[in-house]
């Protein structure tokens, strides 16, 4: 997936060259650690990576003593929604992401305005934030902008014309889904997103679904892992779940914007008893062999998975005190926290039995992720930050790392999901994914060996973003700036 427009914001300022001296550089391909290695950054590009670079020959160089530190490519949150909020929250979230070592993100919802602004170089993203790697136009939602097959085709074409990098499906009926998919593929535009219940997962994968988000979400993938697949899904996909108010555009878009904003806090709050029954049927009959068959199928089809386990977990275990006690909540404003608490209160209205089903479902989502990883299904790290309850931007990707580790994914694979795999997915291995000359100077410096333990991926001691070095103190400043606004 190549970004169709490279103008992702205002032009980056040129910074003095940076020499990271005596670091251990980690090769993300196989985990090899190259000790006592220097990394020279000029402009926004890595110029040299080798032992013994003579800094004296580089005019105006800033030498950073990197002894004892590990250098890896900057992390990429491959599922997020930081752009399109109020300017204040957008800047806060992007700076928080950088403070946690995130130098790139895949924006997972957009608008025609966003696409036009990007094309005009008028996005106004902060320099001290990650790069916008790719973005769609508006999400496809039945009945909002994809009520019928014809309308879905028109919507896909509009987004293509406005320069969308891909089409993101959110909530659509099966007919609409396959019409949108056919049109996107005809235009050569990747299609990604959700496979709402009732959509044939295997058919969508075979026809060309570039990435499936949140392991579905819901029951779809699980129906493929049950010997009673059709029975599991019975009654699903009966119709759209979003009610359209009787207003004309553009009022309807504004109103829908508010509806969607509330809905995304915790979509599981809208689960009805029939949905729960379907989930129960799925969890009761989960079959490892069928899960492995599904994995093989995704590998064959080249269908990527972005499990966003932290997003799935914060939905299904919404009142887990671990979330409400996260020290990183201090970076969030009172209004946001209030909405998260409200969503949690709503969640607690579910019966104990229903909540037990959600918990079992989460255990199986971990299990499924582990099976996918073992089989070699291509996967990406994403957190679904900005909009989701208890998902604190930046911090959330680290929580995703921990969940992936719980699923049995090794530290190196987790690192790969956030770096090299992201580059492969985007078709950007020429500029991203490894610490090598010619690549973008987007780097993370770590205090401990990231190949040894996922815990060490959290130990960010510095970041290089577009050639500018942010020592730990600068990252603290970014975090405190968010806290001061809260
Ligand atoms: Zn999302």
């Amino acid at each position: 997936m190549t970004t169709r427009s490279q103008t992702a914001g205002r032009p980056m300022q040129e910074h003095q060259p940076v020499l990271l001296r005596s670091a251990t550089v980690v090769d993300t391909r196989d985990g090899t650690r190259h000790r006592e290695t220097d990394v020279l950054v000029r402009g926004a590009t890595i110029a040299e990576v080798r032992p013994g670079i003579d800094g004296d020959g580089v005019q105006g160089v800033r030498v950073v003593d990197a002894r004892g530190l590990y250098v890896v490519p900057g992390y990429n949150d491959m599922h997020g929604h930081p752009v399109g909020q109020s300017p204040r929250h957008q800047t806060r979230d992007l700076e928080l992401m950088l403070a946690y070592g995130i130098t790139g993100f895949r924006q997972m919802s957009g608008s025609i305005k966003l696409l036009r602004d990007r094309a005009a170089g008028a996005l106004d993203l902060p320099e001290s934030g990650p790069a916008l790697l790719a973005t769609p136009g508006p999400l496809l939602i039945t009945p909002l902008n994809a009520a019928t097959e014809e309308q879905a085709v028109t919507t896909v074409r509009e987004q293509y014309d406005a320069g969308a990098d891909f089409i993101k499906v959110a909530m659509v009926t099966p007919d609409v889904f396959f019409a949108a998919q056919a049109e996107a593929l005809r235009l050569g535009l990747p299609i990604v997103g959700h496979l709402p219940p009732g959509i044939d997962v295997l058919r969508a994968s075979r026809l060309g679904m570039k990435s499936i988000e949140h392991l579905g979400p819901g029951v779809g993938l699980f129906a493929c892992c049950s010997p009673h697949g059709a029975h599991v899904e019975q009654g699903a996909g009966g119709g759209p779940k979003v009610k359209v108010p009787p207003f004309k555009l553009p009022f309807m878009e504004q109103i829908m914007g508010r509806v969607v904003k509330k809905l995304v806090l915790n979509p599981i709050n809208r689960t009805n008893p029939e949905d729960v029954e379907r989930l129960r049927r799925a969890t009761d009959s989960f079959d490892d062999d069928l899960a492995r068959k599904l994995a093989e199928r995704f590998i064959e089809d080249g269908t990527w998975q972005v499990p966003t386990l932290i997003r799935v977990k914060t939905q299904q275990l919404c009142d887990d005190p671990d979330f409400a006690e996260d020290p990183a909540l201090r970076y969030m404003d009172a209004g946001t926290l209030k909405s998260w608490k409200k969503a949690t209160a709503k969640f607690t209205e579910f019966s104990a039995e229903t909540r037990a089903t959600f918990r079992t479902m989460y255990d199986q989502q971990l299990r499924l992720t582990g099976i996918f990883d073992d089989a070699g299904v291509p996967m990406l790290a994403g957190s679904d930050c900005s909009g989701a309850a208890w998902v604190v931007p930046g911090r959330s990707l680290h929580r995703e790392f921990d969940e992936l580790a719980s699923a049995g994914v090794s530290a190196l694979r987790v690192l790969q999901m956030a770096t090299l795999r992201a580059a492969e997915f985007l078709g950007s291995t020429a500029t991203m994914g490894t610490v090598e000359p010619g690549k973008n100077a987007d780097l993370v410096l770590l205090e401990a060996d990231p190949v040894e333990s996922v815990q060490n991926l959290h130990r960010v001691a510095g970041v290089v973003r577009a050639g500018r070095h942010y020592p730990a103190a600068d990252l603290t400043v970014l975090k405190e700036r968010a806290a001061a606004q809260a």
Side-chain angles (χ1 to χ4, degrees), residues 79 81 108 168 194 214 311 384:
H79 188 129
H81 304 266
M108 290 305 279
K168 161 119 186 259
H194 304 182
H214 325 296
R311 168 59 153 157
D384 210 357

Side-chain angles (χ1 to χ4, degrees), residues 92 95-101 328 330-332 393-395 398 458 460 472-486:
R92 175 198 63 192
E95 290 192 340
L96 271 177
M97 289 166 84
L98 190 79
Y100 279 95
R330 64 188 281 265
Y331 306 131
M332 296 288 101
R395 159 88 172 128
H398 290 265
H458 305 321
V460 175
D474 287 9
L475 302 178
T476 303
V477 167
L478 293 177
K479 286 181 180 172
E480 290 312 314
R481 203 186 285 174
Q485 287 179 26

